[in-house]
Each structure stands twice: as C-alpha cells, then as structure tokens.
Amino acid sequence: MKWIDYARPQTVAEAVQLLTERGDGARAMAGGTDLIVQLRVGRRQPDHVVDVKHIPDLNEVNTSGGGVTLGAAVPCHIIYNNDAIKDAFPALVDSASIIGGTQIQGRASIGGNLCNAAPSADAIPTLIALGATANVSGSTGERSVAIEDFCTGPGQNVLGADELLTSISIPAQGANSGARYQRFIPRNEMDIAVVGVGASVTLNNGSFESVRVSLASVAPTPLFVTEINDELAGKDVTDENIAKAGEIAKDAAKPISDMRGTADYRRHLCDVMTRRVLSDAITRARGGNVDAH
Amino acid sequence: MPTKSYVQTNINGESVEFLAEPRQSLLEVLRDTLQLTGAKEGCNDGNCGACTVKMDGRIVCSCLVFGVEAEGADIETIEGMASPEGLHPLQTAFLENAALQCGICTPGFLMASKALLDHNPNPTEGQIRWWLANNLCRCTGYDKIVRAVMDAAQKMQA
C-alpha cells in the first residue's frame, strides 16, 4: 500500500476543512471495510484518509418522530440491535445483518455502504425503497440528496471533493406500510448479491397506495424502478399485479454477465426476487412477521 | 518527510505503545511490531477472519483496521485467552473435539466464538454458524468447530 496520511477529526467542520484542503487527494473513511481493501489493491489511491467515525454527530441514531436519522458512521451492529429500528424499519435490519459477517458488521456503516456506491450494495435499495435522503456537509454549506440520485456510477457518487455525508434521514413510513430487502446469493451468507431487491409498499385496504422498488447488481448504480409504482398504485393486491411488478423489474434491469451470473439469469432473478420481496413487504404492511434472514 | 505515528493502546489488559505508519494494518502492527503472532494473515481483505481480534467490545478483522486506529482502544487477542491457570474452556473444547487440522484459522475462530458466548451463552447450531460465517476454515472442519463451540457453551454453563 502506498503512503497515506491519516487524520481523526472530532467535528464535521474539521473533517470538511481537511477534505477541502486536500481536495481529490483525500477520502473519508468510516468502518474502512471497503476503503482499506481498495487502498491495498490500488483501486482507490487517496493520499489522505480522513477517519470520520470519531465525530459524535456521525454516530447518532435519532428515532424520534417516527422516522430515523442515522449518523453516517453508525455501524451495522448498532442498527440491528436497536429496538426502535427493528420495530419500525425491519428492512434496514434485513440489509444491515447481511453486509459481510459479524466482524465486518462491527465496523461497516450504512453511510459507507452508500458512499462506496457499489452496484451490489445491500443497503442502498432499502434506502431508496424507504424514500431516504442523504445529508451532506461541504465547504459552502449543507444539502440533501435523494438516495436514488446519490450514486453516479460503480464506486462513484455525487459528493464533491469538499463534501462529507453526515447522516441519512428515513421518513416515517406511516400505517399500513411495510418494506423488505433480500438478495440472491448461492451461499447462505457472506456473499455479493447476484441480484438484490428492496421494496416498500403502503396499502389502502386491499389495494396498493404506493410501491417503491429498487434493484441491486443489475445496472451501474442501484436502480429505482418507478414504473412499478405507475403500474400498481391504486390496483388491488393480487398475485397477478405482483407478477406484473416482477415483469417490469425484469424489463428495467440492465445487467451484465459476470462470474456471479449471466445477464439472462439476473433478469430472471429480478422477476422472482421482486415478487418474493413484494410479498414479504405486504406481509409486514399487514402486521405480519418476516425474519431478516 | 513521512513520519511514523505514536500510538498508545491497551492490549489484553496492558498498556502498550508503538510507532506505526498510517498505512500499516493493526494486524501488521500486532504481528511484526509487537510480536503477537497469534492473529494470522489469511486473505488480508476481510473474508477469512483468521486475523480476528476484539476491539472495544466487538470482534473485527485486524487486517481491516489501521494500526493508528488503535489509539485509546481496548484490544483483546488470542494471546490473552488462556489464563495462568490453564486454557479457556473453548480452547479445551477445540482440542477435545479435534476442531482443527492445520490450525491457521483457529485463533480467529476462538476469538469469534468467545465473543459469541460472551454475548449469547447458549447459542443454537444455527446461531453459531451464522455468527461464525466471517471465519473460513479451508481444511473444511466446520462441523467439528461448531460442535466444539456447543460443547464449550454447555461446559461453561454447568
């Protein structure tokens, strides 16, 4: 690994100042479980690593008001051990409990999963399905970005060189809502999604009020399939309509063929997984229990 | 001119200080600077768990932690598992159940298993397998490892 400088700022202002001074030569690090590997193989080559996980603001979990604001450095294990999150946002637990294994989950953060912007990221489809926004601080102030607009390419995001992701806000989901994330992998655990699907539904008696579906590992960035809501909103909750959502997901996917699966296989999985995940989200919306894994 | 950083940390209950380049992993520091060679380098990218240590109450892959991140931390390594009175019950159970062949993965499995039993003294087989998913054994002795953890859990509860 080439030489790096390391800093451990204690405030957002200090971190933003370091990032601003170093420009493209600096990269923020939370858990480091992606970044350290990338440094080691040379995939990212910053001169300066800004370790932001000791900034108190970035470790806050605020669940007041029915939504949740997650500090950008909050590690996965905090999320799946938080009773308020388990109760209100089980889909977030679905994602946090399958990112890496126990050792990785002690360090890796949802904010880091977002910034790393892998097409296969397990947290991003969930955040998109839940309508979350990324809160960013930079040298000229603060801004918020919808999660579906955050990733711009494999490993690339909208952050300027002077900007730091500080937190992720997930709005209250309201009554009769449910969400789910599942990925398809050929193992039981510790693998990269061949296809991942995050979905949230809000029901109105027997019909869909709104549906948000997002796909992982089938495009250069996590894909938000708005056409599913266009088709399903106002329609009855039936197997036929769930099957339509699967078909739409399959058509929206733009997968590549690689060692994990061919493009055709991934398109097929989009259909199957979208139907499964929607069914589970509906079960949760109706108050039923679906285990995370 | 690049300079090494001074780091003060706590390892197995003792205050320890060392100099490290920021790019050095905690694993490199433990093995090459502090001669604590129990933690092993397997994959060096977080998949295999052979380098597992406990840091501030959570197990981590020490290959995915910079040595300089250890500043002010509490670290436990495999060297701290046995006491002067004898082996930890998990170590005994691994021996009695033949839960190792080449032994490279064993320190990591022991550290991870100890963290599991600290947190859940009576885990099911499924819980053990899920918790230990971040530890790989290429001799493929998983079944004996899982049985050893169950055996140790039972003996520690007795």
Side-chain angles (χ1 to χ4, degrees):
Chain A
M1 192 188 295
K2 68 169 207 162
W3 183 272
I4 50 163
D5 287 327
Y6 169 87
R8 190 198 271 206
Q10 301 297 319
T11 65
V12 170
E14 207 185 319
V16 167
Q17 194 188 339
L18 281 164
L19 292 172
T20 305
E21 285 167 6
R22 295 290 185 125
D24 287 333
R27 187 152 181 101
M29 177 179 89
T33 54
D34 282 316
L35 182 61
I36 294 177
V37 177
Q38 292 161 358
L39 284 162
R40 200 164 276 147
V41 300
R43 196 184 314 157
R44 292 193 201 272
Q45 300 195 317
D47 304 313
H48 199 120
V49 169
V50 181
D51 183 356
V52 297
K53 68 176 155 298
H54 299 279
I55 300 173
D57 292 353
L58 267 60
N59 284 296
E60 275 186 22
V61 178
N62 186 340
T63 51
S64 58
V68 59
T69 299
L70 285 178
V74 172
C76 290
H77 78 96
I78 297 283
I79 289 162
Y80 60 69
N81 285 316
N82 181 303
D83 288 334
I85 291 176
K86 280 195 276 191
D87 186 49
F89 300 100
L92 206 51
V93 173
D94 295 340
S95 291
S97 58
I98 59 171
I99 293 173
T102 314
Q103 285 88 324
I104 300 300
Q105 290 156 13
R107 307 279 287 174
S109 64
I110 298 295
N113 194 247
L114 175 60
C115 290
N116 188 55
S120 58
D122 286 314
I124 304 177
T126 303
L127 295 173
I128 292 173
L130 294 171
T133 49
N135 303 312
V136 175
S137 279
S139 57
T140 57
E142 298 177 357
R143 63 176 177 136
S144 291
V145 183
I147 302 297
E148 56 266 33
D149 299 327
F150 192 85
C151 300
T152 54
Q156 305 294 314
N157 63 46
V158 295
L159 294 180
D162 64 318
E163 286 186 314
L164 174 69
L165 175 74
T166 54
S167 64
I168 295 165
S169 296
I170 304 174
Q173 300 294 300
N176 307 313
S177 296
R180 173 70 160 143
Y181 177 78
Q182 260 196 315
R183 68 181 176 197
F184 181 86
I185 55 173
R187 310 180 68 226
N188 288 324
E189 69 283 291
M190 285 286 290
D191 206 349
I192 293 171
V194 182
V195 166
V197 181
S200 75
V201 299
T202 301
L203 306 181
N204 182 2
N205 295 317
S207 62
F208 291 106
E209 192 171 299
S210 65
V211 183
R212 291 174 68 94
V213 175
S214 176
L215 310 174
S217 285
V218 295
T221 60
L223 208 59
F224 181 29
V225 190
T226 54
E227 298 88 340
I228 292 178
N229 187 61
D230 299 343
E231 174 65 30
L232 261 54
K235 302 263 175 70
D236 289 345
V237 178
T238 60
D239 288 346
E240 290 71 29
N241 283 328
I242 292 170
K244 271 186 201 162
E247 283 296 319
I248 295 169
K250 185 180 181 178
D251 292 341
K254 303 176 192 72
I256 56 167
S257 296
D258 66 11
M259 59 179 277
R260 294 196 171 78
T262 61
D264 274 350
Y265 182 50
R266 285 193 158 104
R267 273 190 285 270
H268 175 70
L269 281 172
C270 283
D271 177 15
V272 174
M273 296 301 289
T274 296
R275 284 187 277 130
R276 280 186 198 169
V277 165
L278 271 177
S279 298
D280 283 355
I282 291 162
T283 299
R284 283 178 172 168
R286 289 174 169 158
N289 181 56
V290 178
D291 286 342
H293 53 76
Chain B
M1 182 65 191
T3 52
K4 288 188 174 186
S5 300
Y6 168 78
V7 178
Q8 182 163 29
T9 189
N10 301 288
I11 300 179
N12 300 325
E14 283 180 27
S15 177
V16 172
E17 48 186 20
F18 59 83
L19 294 174
E21 296 179 2
R23 64 182 166 182
Q24 282 185 291
S25 68
L26 176 60
L27 176 64
E28 287 174 68
V29 171
L30 289 172
R31 291 183 56 85
D32 302 342
T33 307
L34 302 174
Q35 277 73 55
L36 293 169
T37 54
K40 303 297 186 229
E41 181 184 308
C43 64
N44 217 22
D45 67 10
N47 272 289
C48 81
C51 65
T52 300
V53 301
K54 208 169 193 185
M55 183 172 183
D56 293 331
R58 296 287 310 182
I59 47 170
V60 300
C61 292
S62 59
C63 74
L64 295 187
V65 177
F66 287 125
V68 290
E69 290 184 74
E71 175 65 36
D74 280 310
I75 291 165
E76 292 172 40
T77 71
I78 187 67
E79 284 85 355
M81 188 178 270
S83 68
E85 289 74 48
L87 296 178
H88 186 279
L90 268 165
Q91 292 173 308
T92 307
F94 268 57
L95 286 171
E96 288 177 351
N97 289 274
L100 65 156
Q101 291 181 52
C102 84
I104 288 284
C105 70
T106 310
F109 266 105
L110 284 167
M111 290 305 293
S113 302
K114 181 169 180 291
L116 170 63
L117 297 187
D118 288 347
H119 150 91
N120 177 0
N122 192 22
T124 62
E125 180 183 339
Q127 287 169 329
I128 294 170
R129 288 184 186 273
W130 182 262
W131 183 275
L132 295 178
N134 212 153
N135 291 82
L136 300 183
C137 167
R138 292 297 80 180
C139 306
T140 67
Y142 294 108
D143 217 55
K144 289 178 171 181
I145 292 169
V146 172
R147 274 185 267 159
V149 176
M150 294 180 91
D151 183 29
Q154 210 171 21
K155 286 181 174 146
M156 287 166 73
Q157 294 222 72

